[in-house]
Amino acid sequence: MSVLQKIAEIEAEMARTQRNKATSGHLGLLKARLAKLRRELIEPKGGGGGAGEGFDVAKTGDARIGFVGFPSVGKSTLLSNLAGVYSEVAAYEFTTLTTVPGVIRYKGAKIQLLDLPGIIEGAKDGKGRGKQVIAVARTCVLIFTVLDCLKPLFHRRITPLITLFLCSVARTCGLIFIVLDCLKPLQHKRLIEHELEGFGIRLNKDPPNIVFKKKDKGGLNLQTMCAQTELDLDTVRTILSEYKIHNADITLRYDATAEDLIDVVEGNRVYIPCIYLLNKIDQISIEELDIIYRIPHCVPISAHHKWNFDDLLEKMWDYLGLVRIYTKPKGQLPDYTSPVVLRRGHTTVEDFCNKLHRSIIKEFKYALVWGTSVKHCPQNVGKEHPLNDEDVVQILKRV
């Protein structure tokens, strides 16, 4: 029996099982087995294929965005209108047969866009040069997933393969862009969220506030900081027994679920911010547009007419968390034309020095900083000082 067949069998059994206190342990065991099987799909043995001719595009800029989707859903149109790069558009499928790169500059940052060929069924096994596409997309820090509402059944069959594709690049993603058709936004949104949740990608969520620590002996020690509606010691013991864990300290700091505990035990979940791009707003009324704007984390656009691209780029910038740092040579004015762009969580003075050159930190003495991250300007700071957007930095070396 294949992994997919085992997954389908467990899901069918979970659907047949009534949810109550007596079956909570059995459901927790099934969820743990399901997570282990899906881990085999996310991290298959043997690795993927190489980049291949036409796919090995050199990485440039401060961030990289890949356009992922089905054939003939508008990826090339979006690239052409965003970056001004010609990517062939036609009425037939698989117009794009290789990677088409483009570059946009926004707020001083250089962002590379990649129009990848459409994904087909069996892409994970190499069909349609799927492994080459995945090899390129693994280097992206942001993903565009495009859906076409005219092919809902085809999309439903293909979505798990797109999910596997997204999982293969999730470790390097800083943000996911999902492009939906505004005529059926919630239907496709729920479908994608359900599939991504099943394969270990958590959209717009924080990691579970659960402390889990394995030990050599002493059994299971469960501590709860508040009342629990789903997890108790027997359920936790049943879940952990599937992972052959019999000695551990677990602290639940909120009302957690079995899925939360499994996510912590697996340790390979990724928590990624996501923006939903609702395309084709030129085909709906103003009243419908007002309703769509209420959907969290969404930006209505029209890729064909270039409508609302400003809002798209602004929200992209906010979700990526890019920080611009300006350099100031000694005795000269700051250079406001070419900022050094840092990523979220890596904005210290040491990160700034390493972005310029690895050898600078070896001779680092202190830095002078002008901006909102300091109390007075200029201020002497060390290499651990966190920088804010649009700070000005001057590095002084040891003599």
Side-chain angles (χ1 to χ4, degrees):
M1 186 181 296
S2 67
V3 176
L4 290 176
Q5 290 174 333
K6 293 179 181 178
I7 290 176
E9 188 177 272
I10 292 178
E11 288 178 338
E13 184 176 354
M14 291 176 61
R16 293 192 304 265
T17 304
Q18 293 184 353
R19 296 179 179 272
N20 52 51
K21 193 67 175 178
T23 61
S24 60
H26 179 62
L27 286 173
L29 180 64
L30 292 178
K31 291 175 182 177
R33 290 177 179 174
L34 193 61
K36 292 175 65 177
L37 291 173
R38 282 172 170 163
R39 188 207 310 159
E40 295 182 22
L41 292 179
I42 298 172
E43 303 172 356
K45 298 179 181 179
E53 182 180 357
F55 287 80
D56 49 349
V57 178
K59 185 176 181 180
T60 62
D62 304 300
R64 200 178 206 193
I65 302 175
F67 289 20
V68 178
F70 308 106
S72 299
V73 293
K75 301 186 299 296
S76 298
T77 301
L78 191 58
L79 174 69
S80 299
N81 290 337
L82 272 177
V85 175
Y86 175 72
S87 184
E88 186 177 357
V89 178
Y92 54 87
E93 294 187 346
F94 297 104
T95 309
T96 303
L97 299 177
T98 185
T99 301
V100 180
V103 175
I104 60 173
R105 289 186 177 272
Y106 187 69
K107 293 188 176 181
K110 186 179 180 182
I111 301 175
Q112 185 182 38
L113 308 177
L114 297 180
D115 180 15
L116 301 177
I119 298 296
I120 65 171
E121 188 167 7
K124 68 182 189 335
D125 300 319
K127 292 184 179 180
R129 304 191 75 177
K131 290 188 177 181
Q132 287 88 342
V133 176
I134 291 175
V136 174
R138 289 180 67 89
T139 64
C140 297
V141 297
L142 185 150
I143 306 297
F144 284 83
T145 304
V146 188
L147 291 178
D148 189 337
C149 70
L150 300 179
K151 303 177 182 178
L153 296 180
F154 175 72
H155 289 174
R156 179 175 294 275
R157 185 177 73 250
I158 212 78
T159 296
L161 299 177
I162 295 296
T163 302
L164 291 176
F165 178 88
L166 287 173
C167 290
S168 69
V169 304
R171 300 302 183 271
T172 59
C173 286
L175 177 65
I176 290 180
F177 269 33
I178 299 178
V179 184
L180 303 170
D181 193 307
C182 69
L183 301 179
K184 294 183 178 180
L186 297 181
Q187 174 186 350
H188 291 165
K189 179 176 179 289
R190 285 193 296 266
L191 177 62
I192 293 178
E193 287 176 342
H194 174 72
E195 296 294 341
L196 294 183
E197 286 279 338
F199 284 92
I201 297 179
R202 306 293 182 253
L203 302 179
N204 297 318
K205 289 184 178 180
D206 296 324
N209 194 3
I210 298 176
V211 177
F212 174 77
K213 184 178 180 180
K214 290 195 293 185
K215 55 185 182 181
D216 297 331
K217 57 183 179 179
L220 293 179
N221 179 24
L222 177 64
Q223 295 183 345
T224 59
M225 309 297 290
C226 63
Q228 301 293 316
T229 58
E230 183 173 339
L231 291 180
D232 54 21
L233 183 58
D234 292 335
T235 304
V236 171
R237 180 179 289 110
T238 301
I239 294 174
L240 295 183
S241 65
E242 179 64 23
Y243 293 92
K244 296 180 173 57
I245 299 176
H246 306 288
N247 303 282
D249 292 329
I250 306 102
T251 303
L252 306 178
R253 296 180 175 175
Y254 70 108
D255 188 8
T257 63
E259 289 84 355
D260 295 335
L261 178 60
I262 292 172
D263 288 349
V264 174
V265 175
E266 285 283 340
N268 61 352
R269 304 305 191 231
V270 288
Y271 300 84
I272 305 175
C274 174
I275 299 176
Y276 300 93
L277 302 185
L278 305 181
N279 196 17
K280 301 183 182 179
I281 61 174
D282 54 308
Q283 300 182 15
I284 62 175
S285 64
I286 298 297
E287 292 76 13
E288 292 171 321
L289 183 60
D290 291 337
I291 296 175
I292 284 177
Y293 251 116
R294 300 174 188 173
I295 301 176
H297 313 289
C298 86
V299 179
I301 65 168
S302 173
H304 179 71
H305 296 284
K306 305 181 183 180
W307 290 355
N308 210 26
F309 276 16
D310 291 342
D311 193 13
L312 160 63
L313 295 174
E314 187 65 32
K315 183 157 289 193
M316 176 195 70
W317 180 269
D318 293 339
Y319 276 59
L320 279 176
L322 299 179
V323 175
R324 295 161 294 175
I325 307 298
Y326 300 108
T327 58
K328 182 187 181 303
K330 186 175 181 180
Q332 301 180 26
L333 294 175
D335 181 11
Y336 292 106
T337 59
S338 301
V340 177
V341 180
L342 305 177
R343 296 292 308 279
R344 179 194 296 115
H346 302 278
T347 60
T348 64
V349 174
E350 183 176 2
D351 295 324
F352 170 76
C353 294
N354 291 333
K355 187 66 179 290
L356 293 175
H357 199 279
R358 292 284 181 179
S359 63
I360 295 179
I361 198 64
K362 299 178 182 179
E363 303 175 358
F364 177 84
K365 184 178 181 182
Y366 64 91
L368 293 175
V369 177
W370 294 259
T372 58
S373 67
V374 294
K375 295 182 178 180
H376 54 84
C377 299
Q379 179 175 324
N380 294 2
V381 299
K383 61 182 180 180
E384 294 85 8
H385 176 77
L387 300 170
N388 291 344
D389 189 32
E390 295 192 293
D391 279 359
V392 177
V393 178
Q394 177 180 331
I395 303 297
L396 285 86
K397 299 181 179 180
R398 293 193 300 267
V399 178

